[in-house]
Amino acid sequence: MSMKAIVKEAGEYGSLVIKDVKIPEVKSNEVLIKIKKTSICGTDVSIYKWTEWAKNTIKTPMIIGHEFVGTIEKLGNGVINFKVGDLVSGEGHVVCGKCRHCITGKQHLCRETLGIGVNQDGVFAQYISIPAKNVWLCGEGISESILSCLDPLGNAVHTALAFDVMGEDVIITGAGPIGLMSIPILKRVGARSIVITDINEYRLNMAKELGATATIDVSKEKISDIFNKLNIKEGFDIGLEMSGSEIAFADMIENMANGGKIAILGILPQNVSINWDKVIFNSLTLKGIYGREMFDTWYKMTVMLQNGMDKEIEKIITHTYHYTDFEKGFKQMMSGESGKIILEWE
Ligand code: NAD
Ligand code: ZN
């Protein structure tokens, strides 16, 4: 039996093609999922563009994609927690299950982590088979479009909740989909102010609509210009780096209050140099964030969505295409004039 899938064929720019491939066999402790919707991640765009990171990481040919929602089509031997027909999404990081972190409930720290759609075939296909331990049973009352974005929303939740933000002044650098998703989360957990920066007018407008306290186009204004207006005396208490830009990161460090805490999700270039005096003498804390906590992040995000945050996250989904039009989706995403972009598989 065959299925359609979007395959990265060769190690070069573009080279994504819809192909007929074999439906994956369902091994023991795996679950076969029929895909309903997927969403396009910046990682997929990096694979499309064949960046340095992609060159060093991706083995072609490979089916790409890791953000999805679907229904369970078939259970492998030994699977007891799910039934055929269940609406599910899934954690894209497959962990070893045996190391010290895995057995102590900190799977997000597993050193053997493999990425679906990165190190093995992904979800831009009509079917995928994944380990049952990676399957997330979707909570009721959440739209399928949002359910296809739980992976990046989980990145936002993991980062925004890395430190206690209640009553704090927070800066987000980068108003990409994940930076935007962080706004409603920070509002829910009681941040005093939420300031977000970008160099993209379209995305800063989206941030305004989502209720950011202030938006700053750093190509035109300085971050510190906002302090007076918001009555921020010493700088930001919490920083969420979500741009991957070393300029943004350096700027954030300059504008932190003493004792400030920074969670870094954005994938910065290697060997970025920063002002260590600021980190050391101002007692800053820097914390790297990778993926989502399994499955604490998934649980919290489901509860927030069911308590009304879904209305705000819905606004971040700006485009939907049928999978046969995936090229349009990638082009739209590369234009920068988008939030999340969904591909439909039915
Ligand atoms: P994105 O690339 O869509 O958004 C990044 C935004 O930063 C863009 O809107 C861009 O215009 C903006 N930007 C560029 N230069 C800037 C500057 N100097 N100041 C402020 N903003 C600037 O990315 P996304 O999908 O929202 O993801 C955010 C980041 O998180 C990316 O770097 C991505 O690679 C990374 N990421 C990391 C993980 C992880 O597990 N650590 C997971 C997912 C994504
Ligand atoms: Zn492990």
Side-chain angles (χ1 to χ4, degrees), residues 41-43 93 151 155 173-179 197-200 203 218 241-245 247-248 264-268 289-292 333 340:
C41 174
T43 302
H93 288 178
D151 173 300
N155 293 136
T173 43
I178 302 180
T197 71
D198 206 295
I199 46 175
N200 174 325
R203 288 178 162 179
V218 286
E241 195 331 272
M242 298 187 154
S243 72
S245 151
I247 301 167
I264 309 165
L265 180 85
I267 299 171
L268 293 159
I289 305 284
Y290 183 46
R292 298 141 296 277
M333 188 119 161
K340 280 313 284 186

Coordinates of all heavy atoms in Angstrom, one line a residue, residues 41-43 93 151 155 173-179 197-200 203 218 241-245 247-248 264-268 289-292 333 340, ligand 1:
C41 N 7.1 24.5 9.9 CA 8.0 25.0 11.0 C 9.2 25.7 10.3 O 9.6 25.4 9.1 CB 8.5 23.9 11.8 SG 9.8 24.4 13.0
G42 N 9.9 26.6 11.0 CA 11.1 27.2 10.5 C 12.1 26.2 10.1 O 12.9 26.3 9.2
T43 N 12.1 25.1 10.9 CA 13.1 24.0 10.6 C 12.8 23.4 9.2 O 13.8 23.1 8.4 CB 12.9 22.8 11.6 OG1 13.1 23.4 12.9 CG2 13.8 21.7 11.4
H93 N 10.2 14.7 19.5 CA 11.5 14.2 19.9 C 11.4 12.8 20.5 O 10.6 12.6 21.4 CB 12.1 15.1 21.0 CG 12.5 16.5 20.5 ND1 13.0 17.5 21.4 CD2 12.6 17.0 19.3 CE1 13.3 18.5 20.6 NE2 13.1 18.3 19.3
D151 N 3.3 21.5 18.7 CA 4.8 21.5 18.9 C 5.4 22.9 19.1 O 6.0 23.1 20.1 CB 5.3 20.7 17.7 CG 6.8 20.6 17.6 OD1 7.4 21.7 17.5 OD2 7.4 19.5 17.6
N155 N 6.9 24.9 22.5 CA 8.2 25.6 22.6 C 7.9 26.9 23.3 O 8.7 27.3 24.2 CB 8.8 25.9 21.2 CG 9.3 24.7 20.5 OD1 9.1 24.6 19.3 ND2 9.9 23.8 21.2
T173 N 12.4 38.9 22.2 CA 13.0 39.3 21.0 C 12.6 38.3 19.9 O 12.9 37.1 20.0 CB 14.6 39.4 21.1 OG1 15.0 38.2 21.8 CG2 15.0 40.6 21.9
G174 N 11.9 38.9 18.8 CA 11.5 38.0 17.7 C 10.0 37.7 17.8 O 9.6 37.0 18.6
A175 N 9.2 38.4 16.9 CA 7.8 38.1 16.8 C 7.4 37.1 15.7 O 6.4 37.3 15.0 CB 7.1 39.5 16.6
G176 N 8.2 36.1 15.6 CA 7.8 35.0 14.7 C 6.7 34.3 15.4 O 6.2 34.7 16.4
P177 N 6.2 33.2 14.8 CA 5.1 32.5 15.3 C 5.3 32.1 16.8 O 4.3 32.3 17.6 CB 5.0 31.2 14.5 CG 5.6 31.6 13.2 CD 6.6 32.6 13.5
I178 N 6.5 31.7 17.2 CA 6.6 31.3 18.6 C 6.7 32.5 19.5 O 6.1 32.5 20.6 CB 7.9 30.4 18.7 CG1 7.7 29.2 17.8 CG2 8.1 30.0 20.2 CD1 8.9 28.2 17.9
G179 N 7.3 33.6 19.1 CA 7.3 34.8 19.9 C 5.9 35.3 20.1 O 5.5 35.7 21.2
T197 N 10.0 42.6 20.3 CA 10.7 43.3 19.2 C 10.8 42.5 17.9 O 10.7 41.3 18.0 CB 12.2 43.6 19.7 OG1 12.9 42.3 19.7 CG2 12.3 44.2 21.0
D198 N 10.9 43.2 16.8 CA 11.2 42.5 15.6 C 11.6 43.6 14.6 O 11.7 44.8 15.0 CB 9.9 41.8 15.1 CG 10.2 40.6 14.1 OD1 10.8 40.8 13.0 OD2 10.0 39.4 14.5
I199 N 11.9 43.2 13.3 CA 12.2 44.2 12.3 C 11.1 44.0 11.2 O 11.3 44.5 10.1 CB 13.6 43.9 11.7 CG1 13.8 42.4 11.5 CG2 14.6 44.4 12.7 CD1 15.1 42.1 10.8
N200 N 10.1 43.3 11.5 CA 9.0 42.9 10.5 C 7.7 43.5 11.0 O 7.1 43.2 12.0 CB 9.0 41.4 10.5 CG 7.9 40.9 9.6 OD1 6.8 41.4 9.5 ND2 8.1 39.7 8.9
R203 N 4.5 41.3 11.4 CA 4.5 40.5 12.7 C 4.3 41.4 13.9 O 3.6 41.0 14.9 CB 5.7 39.7 12.7 CG 5.6 38.5 11.7 CD 6.8 37.7 11.7 NE 6.5 36.4 11.0 CZ 7.4 35.4 10.8 NH1 8.6 35.5 11.2 NH2 7.0 34.3 10.1
V218 N 13.0 47.3 16.0 CA 14.4 47.7 16.4 C 15.3 48.2 15.2 O 16.4 48.7 15.4 CB 15.2 46.5 17.1 CG1 14.7 46.3 18.5 CG2 15.0 45.2 16.2
E241 N 14.4 34.9 24.4 CA 15.1 35.1 23.1 C 14.4 34.2 22.1 O 14.6 33.0 22.2 CB 16.6 34.9 23.2 CG 17.5 35.3 22.1 CD 16.9 35.4 20.7 OE1 17.0 34.4 20.0 OE2 16.4 36.5 20.3
M242 N 13.7 34.7 21.1 CA 13.0 33.9 20.1 C 13.2 34.4 18.7 O 12.4 34.2 17.8 CB 11.5 34.0 20.5 CG 11.2 33.4 21.9 SD 9.5 33.3 22.2 CE 9.5 32.0 23.4
S243 N 14.4 35.0 18.5 CA 14.7 35.4 17.1 C 15.8 34.6 16.5 O 15.9 34.5 15.2 CB 15.1 36.9 17.1 OG 16.4 37.1 17.7
G244 N 16.7 34.1 17.3 CA 17.9 33.5 16.7 C 18.9 34.5 16.2 O 19.9 34.1 15.6
S245 N 18.7 35.8 16.5 CA 19.6 36.8 16.0 C 20.5 37.2 17.0 O 20.2 37.6 18.2 CB 18.7 38.0 15.5 OG 19.5 39.2 15.7
I247 N 22.2 39.9 17.1 CA 22.1 41.4 17.4 C 21.0 41.5 18.5 O 21.1 42.2 19.5 CB 21.7 42.1 16.2 CG1 22.8 42.0 15.1 CG2 21.4 43.6 16.5 CD1 22.3 42.4 13.7
A248 N 19.9 40.8 18.3 CA 18.7 40.8 19.2 C 19.2 40.3 20.6 O 18.8 40.9 21.6 CB 17.6 40.0 18.7
I264 N 16.6 31.1 26.4 CA 17.0 31.2 25.0 C 16.5 30.0 24.2 O 16.9 28.9 24.4 CB 18.5 31.2 24.9 CG1 19.1 32.3 25.9 CG2 19.0 31.5 23.5 CD1 20.6 32.1 26.1
L265 N 15.5 30.3 23.4 CA 14.9 29.3 22.5 C 15.5 29.5 21.1 O 15.8 28.5 20.4 CB 13.4 29.4 22.4 CG 12.7 28.4 21.5 CD1 12.5 27.1 22.2 CD2 11.4 28.9 20.9
G266 N 15.7 30.7 20.6 CA 16.2 31.0 19.3 C 17.5 30.4 19.1 O 18.4 30.3 20.0
I267 N 17.7 29.8 17.9 CA 18.9 29.1 17.6 C 20.0 30.1 17.1 O 19.9 30.5 15.9 CB 18.7 27.9 16.6 CG1 17.7 27.0 17.3 CG2 20.0 27.2 16.3 CD1 17.2 25.9 16.5
L268 N 20.8 30.5 18.0 CA 21.8 31.5 17.7 C 23.0 30.9 16.9 O 23.2 29.7 17.0 CB 22.4 32.1 19.0 CG 21.4 32.9 19.8 CD1 21.8 33.1 21.2 CD2 21.2 34.3 19.2
I289 N 16.7 26.5 26.1 CA 15.5 25.8 26.0 C 15.5 24.9 24.8 O 15.7 25.4 23.7 CB 14.3 26.7 26.0 CG1 14.3 27.7 27.2 CG2 13.0 25.9 26.0 CD1 13.9 27.2 28.5
Y290 N 15.2 23.6 24.9 CA 15.1 22.7 23.8 C 13.8 22.0 23.8 O 13.5 21.3 24.8 CB 16.3 21.8 23.8 CG 16.4 20.9 22.6 CD1 16.2 21.4 21.3 CD2 16.7 19.5 22.7 CE1 16.3 20.5 20.2 CE2 16.7 18.7 21.7 CZ 16.6 19.2 20.4 OH 16.6 18.3 19.3
G291 N 13.0 22.1 22.8 CA 11.8 21.3 22.7 C 10.8 21.6 23.8 O 10.6 22.8 24.1
R292 N 10.1 20.6 24.3 CA 9.1 20.7 25.3 C 9.3 19.7 26.4 O 10.0 18.7 26.2 CB 7.7 20.3 24.6 CG 7.3 21.2 23.5 CD 6.6 20.5 22.4 NE 7.6 19.5 21.7 CZ 8.5 19.8 20.8 NH1 8.5 21.0 20.3 NH2 9.3 18.9 20.3
M333 N 5.7 31.6 3.7 CA 6.4 31.6 5.0 C 7.8 32.4 4.8 O 8.2 33.2 5.6 CB 6.7 30.2 5.4 CG 7.3 30.1 6.7 SD 6.3 29.1 7.8 CE 7.5 28.7 9.0
K340 N 1.5 31.1 11.6 CA 1.7 29.7 11.3 C 0.9 29.4 10.0 O -0.1 30.0 9.7 CB 1.0 28.9 12.4 CG 1.8 28.6 13.6 CD 3.3 28.2 13.4 CE 3.5 26.8 13.0 NZ 5.0 26.5 13.0
Ligands
NAD1 P1 11.0 32.8 12.9 O1 12.3 32.7 12.2 O2 9.7 32.7 12.2 O3 10.9 34.2 13.8 C1 12.0 34.9 14.2 C2 11.7 36.4 14.1 O4 12.8 37.1 14.6 C3 11.3 36.9 12.7 O5 10.0 37.4 12.7 C4 12.5 37.8 12.4 O6 12.0 39.0 11.7 C5 12.8 38.3 13.9 N1 14.1 39.0 14.0 C6 15.2 38.9 13.1 N2 16.2 39.8 13.6 C7 15.7 40.4 14.7 C8 16.2 41.3 15.6 N3 17.5 41.9 15.4 N4 15.5 41.7 16.6 C9 14.2 41.2 16.8 N5 13.7 40.3 16.0 C10 14.4 39.9 14.9 O7 11.1 31.7 14.1 P2 10.0 30.9 15.0 O8 9.4 29.8 14.3 O9 9.1 31.9 15.6 O10 11.0 30.4 16.0 C11 11.8 31.3 16.9 C12 13.2 30.8 17.1 O11 13.2 29.6 17.9 C13 14.0 30.5 15.8 O12 15.3 30.9 16.0 C14 13.9 28.9 15.8 O13 15.0 28.4 15.0 C15 14.0 28.6 17.2 N6 13.4 27.3 17.7 C16 14.1 26.7 18.6 C17 13.6 25.5 19.2 C18 14.3 24.8 20.3 O14 13.9 23.7 20.7 N7 15.3 25.5 20.9 C19 12.4 25.0 18.7 C20 11.7 25.7 17.7 C21 12.2 26.9 17.2

